[in-house]
Every structure is written in C-alpha cells, then in structure tokens.
Amino acid sequence: MNDREPPGTIRHIPADVWNRAQATGQPIVVVIHDTDRPGIPWRRCLIPFAVAGAIALGAWGLVLALCALLDAATHAFTIIAGAAGPIGIGGLTLKLTRKH
C-alpha cells in the first residue's frame, strides 16, 4: 500500500487532507451515511398488496355497478312492456308480461 492512500476501502478522502493529517498527526473524521435500515423493508412489501387490494375493490365496484344497471334496465323494460300490452306483427301476437 502506498503512503498516499488511506488504509482500508475508504478511497474518497482528498489527497491533500490525507497528506496534511499524516504530516501533522491530526486525526481524520470519516462520516459514513448509512441509509439501509435493519429489518424488513415494509414499504416495499406493502405497496404491491395495496395495489392489488385497490384493483380488487375497483373490480367489485364495476361488478356492482353493472348489476345495478342491469337491474334498472330490467325494471324499465318490465314497466314499458306492462304498459304497452300485447305486441302484434303480421298476425303474430306476443304478450310480454302476465297480469295476475
């Protein structure tokens, strides 16, 4: 190892600072920012579940909206067919609803 390089794997100390510290005996303070947290990264684990839950709720919302639309359409068709009475075309008569 060269006297101009700091020991270990830290290689980003400027050469003039290192040389001045070696010449004067002054200590060098190296601050290493550690961004890794110990344990499970919950954000990375929970985001896919949140997206899947939102998709599932959206799909159920679409199914419920379609059911409500079809229900309203069948009620409207029943009311219109009941008010119109039997429909006849060319001698064929079709009775759309039964009266009880």
Side-chain angles (χ1 to χ4, degrees):
M1 181 164 65
N2 192 336
D3 282 341
R4 295 179 184 224
E5 292 183 10
T9 59
I10 301 171
R11 306 265 186 220
H12 61 278
I13 299 173
D16 59 337
V17 173
W18 176 256
N19 291 331
R20 184 173 44 240
Q22 288 293 317
T24 62
Q26 184 179 16
I28 296 176
V29 177
V30 177
V31 178
I32 299 174
H33 297 282
D34 187 18
T35 58
D36 293 336
R37 295 183 180 141
I40 299 172
W42 289 107
R43 176 179 273 177
R44 189 172 37 161
C45 295
L46 291 178
I47 286 177
F49 286 110
V51 170
I55 290 171
L57 286 175
W60 278 110
L62 284 173
V63 168
L64 289 175
L66 181 62
C67 289
L69 182 65
L70 289 175
D71 186 46
T74 55
H75 283 296
F77 178 74
T78 304
I79 291 171
I80 292 170
I87 297 175
I89 299 174
L92 294 173
T93 304
L94 177 63
K95 187 175 181 181
L96 297 177
T97 60
R98 289 185 265 158
K99 302 224 178 188
H100 293 283

